[in-house]
Amino acid sequence: MIVLSGGTGTPKLLVGLKEVLDPRELTVVANTADDLWISGNLVSPDLDTVVYTLAGMIDRRRWWGIEGDTFRTHNFLKSLGRRELLALGDLDRSIHIFRSELLREGLSLSEATARLCRALKVAGKVVPMTDDPVSTMISTPEGEIHLQEFWVGRSGRPDVMGVRFRGIEDALPSLEFLAALERAAEVGEPILIGPSNPVSSIGPILALRGVRDLLSKKGCGSERRRRSRVIAISPLVDGRPVSGPAAKFMRAWGFPVTDQGVAEILGCVDLMVVSPGSDYRGPSVRLDTTMRNEAESLRLAEEIVRIADEGMEPGIEAEAV
């Protein structure tokens, strides 16, 4: 299974998926448009959250960083007058140093991620969406700012007038991402869009050149019908985001904060998984998508795998409910 992932929502599901599936059958493509350099090192929040989740290291209270981490370096830098936008734990910072040194040696982000996963003994495959720099930029009445400045630095308070992905025009999907999509088309491997922010987490992945073509009904330049099915889990529960600024971002793009709005933003989905109270009228399955603990993550993962397996059987078609 290929999973497109941002932070928080999708990693919660990965807690269950890595138990239901053989982790070696799992390829997770992570958003990198949240990335930024802090104190000389590249921080990749969504990518790291996925890696830490699959490695069993994630801090499940905050859903970022490493469980049990300390913040002595961050706090000491602060006492010296050095402001860091993100509070980086000491172990977490070691990961950023590890990655950044490899990048400075000339490795790509994909290669550095593969090295990191081997070092942490991650069984599943974690792939950055691109090796090129892309940044999610938020337009506010005070000017355009990076997503992390909006959400962390300003606590998501400013009004949002627009959201764009700086550098997306020149960015290409990573070779590993493209290979995963092409393999999915060949063998009918399901593609799951996780319950992450449809604008700022999934949006950059889908905006990469050629990705929507590969997820469409026909492969890029091919006349044969794609056999893999794209399933998306809505990040909304009863019309509200579970966490994060999805509502502000969806409105800024001119979409209603509904499951229909999520489906329209994604635009390449065969089946939506929505909460029981949803009024979505397209092809869908209604499930309890809240994941407050590991048991609920496991329950939802089992349902998603069952749906994906059934959807691959000949003659099975999703029906509107």
Side-chain angles (χ1 to χ4, degrees), residues 83-290:
R83 174 185 180 266
E84 291 187 317
L85 180 58
L86 303 182
L88 304 179
D90 299 318
L91 298 178
D92 190 24
R93 192 183 301 270
S94 298
I95 299 295
H96 309 320
I97 294 170
F98 179 94
R99 171 195 297 120
S100 301
E101 284 298 295
L102 291 175
L103 295 177
R104 283 186 274 266
E105 290 171 11
L107 273 67
S108 68
L109 182 58
S110 293
E111 292 168 331
T113 301
R115 290 249 192 124
L116 176 61
C117 288
R118 286 198 297 271
L120 295 177
K121 296 181 172 55
V122 173
K125 189 168 187 178
V126 182
V127 175
M129 69 177 199
T130 182
D131 290 320
D132 300 314
V134 176
S135 298
T136 297
M137 305 300 296
I138 312 302
S139 178
T140 75
E142 293 78 34
E144 191 176 60
I145 55 178
H146 191 279
L147 171 68
Q148 299 293 353
E149 176 63 34
F150 168 81
W151 186 240
V152 180
R154 307 193 190 182
S155 303
R157 288 189 298 266
D159 292 334
V160 178
M161 302 161 59
V163 180
R164 74 178 182 99
F165 311 128
R166 186 176 64 193
I168 198 71
E169 299 84 1
D170 300 320
L172 296 173
S174 65
L175 294 178
E176 292 81 358
F177 183 16
L178 286 176
L181 290 178
E182 290 167 356
R183 182 187 70 244
E186 289 291 334
V187 303
E189 185 176 3
I191 299 169
L192 177 67
I193 299 177
S196 297
N197 189 313
V199 176
S200 61
S201 292
I202 304 301
I205 302 175
L206 298 180
L208 289 164
R209 193 181 311 171
V211 169
R212 287 187 182 276
D213 288 338
L214 288 169
L215 292 176
S216 66
K217 291 298 181 183
K218 293 178 181 177
C220 187
S222 172
E223 291 302 318
R224 58 184 173 78
R225 184 178 175 84
R226 181 203 68 207
R227 290 189 293 149
S228 56
R229 183 181 239 177
V230 179
I231 301 168
I233 304 175
S234 175
L236 307 182
V237 175
D238 297 330
R240 294 187 300 274
V242 174
S243 63
K248 278 190 172 184
F249 292 176
M250 290 176 70
R251 293 190 188 102
W253 268 12
F255 292 92
V257 185
T258 62
D259 293 322
Q260 181 62 42
V262 172
E264 290 174 4
I265 289 171
L266 300 178
C268 54
V269 176
D270 298 308
L271 183 70
M272 287 284 292
V273 177
V274 297
S275 61
S278 174
D279 60 1
Y280 181 70
R281 302 309 303 168
S284 57
V285 172
R286 282 161 171 73
L287 296 172
D288 180 359
T289 54
T290 57

Side-chain angles (χ1 to χ4, degrees), residues 1-5 9-28 53-54 192-195 233 291 294 296-306 308:
M1 177 180 286
I2 299 171
V3 181
L4 308 189
S5 179
T10 308
K12 286 182 179 180
L13 181 64
L14 291 175
V15 169
L17 283 177
K18 71 186 183 73
E19 299 300 326
V20 176
L21 297 171
D22 183 335
R24 293 170 297 183
E25 299 175 357
L26 194 60
T27 299
V28 185
T53 299
L54 294 180
L192 177 67
I193 299 177
I233 304 175
M291 292 176 283
E294 185 171 352
E296 291 184 352
S297 297
L298 182 60
R299 169 193 49 76
L300 182 58
E302 290 172 339
E303 291 286 351
I304 294 300
V305 170
R306 179 185 61 79

